[in-house]
């Protein structure tokens, strides 16, 4: 239940930032955001999975794991800073 609730929280947070979020049954979230999000997040100490090298995808597709609420809040906060 905790993972399901946190997944909803993250999906809403990403969607509120204007990112395209794709639904899944897994404990991670796949989404499309500005292509430079990986570098911006990394410069702030956050490592996310860049999926741009997946067959059929290009830059701007990412995958993140669902974590604890405080970690998820921090991630959204970092992403907000990246979009400014």
């Amino acid at each position: 239940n905790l993972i399901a609730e946190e997944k909803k929280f993250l999906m809403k947070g990403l969607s509120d930032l204007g990112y395209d979020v794709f639904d899944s049954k897994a404990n991670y979230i796949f989404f499309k955001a500005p292509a430079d999000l990986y570098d911006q997040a990394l410069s702030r100490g956050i490592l996310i999975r860049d999926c741009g090298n997946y067959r059929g995808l290009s830059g701007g597709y990412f995958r993140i794991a669902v974590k604890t609420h405080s970690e998820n809040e921090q991630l959204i906060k970092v992403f907000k800073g990246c979009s400014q």
Side-chain angles (χ1 to χ4, degrees), residues 17-68:
L17 289 170
Y19 302 163
D20 293 323
V21 181
F22 302 92
D23 196 20
S24 75
K25 302 291 182 200
N27 65 340
Y28 61 83
I29 298 171
F30 181 65
F31 65 101
K32 182 160 179 34
D36 66 343
L37 181 64
Y38 176 87
D39 292 328
Q40 287 194 48
L42 188 59
S43 73
R44 291 165 171 83
I46 302 290
L47 181 63
I48 59 175
R49 174 65 166 104
D50 183 347
C51 299
N53 64 344
Y54 286 18
R55 181 177 292 185
L57 297 182
S58 59
Y61 287 91
F62 304 97
R63 191 175 86 178
I64 56 172
V66 177
K67 304 257 184 167
T68 66

